[in-house]
Amino acid sequence: MTLKEYSHEVLAAQPIGAWSGEAYRRVVGALRAQLAVEGLTQPHWWTLNHVAGDPGRWTRTALTERLKRYDDLGIDFNGVYDDLVARGWLEEGPRGMTLTEAGEAGRLRARERNMRVHRQVHAGVDTADFVTTINVLRRMVANLGGDGDLPE
């Protein structure tokens, strides 16, 4: 898709909130639509990734505390965990949660769906421009009192 060209002055006067908000709605909407094909929500995805990344580390309480910073929908995280347990994707032990084989397979399918969105978002965007955009947004977040560091 070709974008119309504008002068630097016109672009510099654009409202960042409007454009970043529109980008957020489009990207998150596309991700949520892809996850919905698997019967998943973003909190399912977050849970699967965190548990896969450090099996046995996460209890419900610790993972909820970690994930609530991303929650803009008032998510019932215990309901998400219960759903993943009921699907047979997540097991809970005395040391924390782990994914089952079915859970890992579902996570990999969801990852591929998210990568489709990632590739679509990045189409026609130079890597250096993308990195600059992320750094500019990080700076803006920090300038407004937020945490501009990448999540760990």
Side-chain angles (χ1 to χ4, degrees), residues 3 121-137:
L3 296 176
V121 167
H122 284 251
V125 177
D126 183 78
T127 300
D129 290 341
F130 184 83
V131 169
T132 297
T133 300
I134 295 299
N135 280 326
V136 167
L137 291 170

Side-chain angles (χ1 to χ4, degrees), residues 47-68:
T47 300
L48 293 169
N49 267 339
H50 277 76
V51 172
D54 204 349
R57 172 184 175 197
W58 298 105
T59 63
R60 286 179 179 233
T61 302
L63 190 53
T64 299
E65 185 63 29
R66 171 75 172 137
L67 297 179
K68 71 181 182 180

Side-chain angles (χ1 to χ4, degrees), residues 13-130:
Q14 289 297 297
I16 187 66
W19 284 105
S20 62
E22 179 66 7
Y24 170 82
R25 287 185 294 278
R26 296 284 178 159
V27 171
V28 170
L31 289 169
R32 288 176 178 167
Q34 285 294 318
L35 290 170
V37 173
E38 296 289 334
L40 300 172
T41 64
Q42 278 185 298
H44 285 99
W45 170 246
W46 303 334
T47 300
L48 293 169
N49 267 339
H50 277 76
V51 172
D54 204 349
R57 172 184 175 197
W58 298 105
T59 63
R60 286 179 179 233
T61 302
L63 190 53
T64 299
E65 185 63 29
R66 171 75 172 137
L67 297 179
K68 71 181 182 180
R69 74 184 277 194
Y70 305 109
D71 178 20
D72 61 353
L73 300 172
I75 300 301
D76 171 15
F77 285 102
N78 281 316
V80 170
Y81 309 145
D82 289 343
D83 179 63
L84 291 170
V85 168
R87 290 174 191 235
W89 288 21
L90 184 68
E91 293 179 340
E92 295 179 276
R95 294 165 28 111
M97 297 185 268
T98 58
L99 297 185
T100 64
E101 282 186 40
E104 178 60 9
R107 186 187 75 81
L108 291 175
R109 286 191 311 274
R111 181 179 185 277
E112 178 51 38
R113 292 188 172 286
N114 281 342
M115 289 307 297
R116 290 177 195 167
V117 174
H118 179 81
R119 288 187 295 270
Q120 185 179 7
V121 167
H122 284 251
V125 177
D126 183 78
T127 300
D129 290 341
F130 184 83

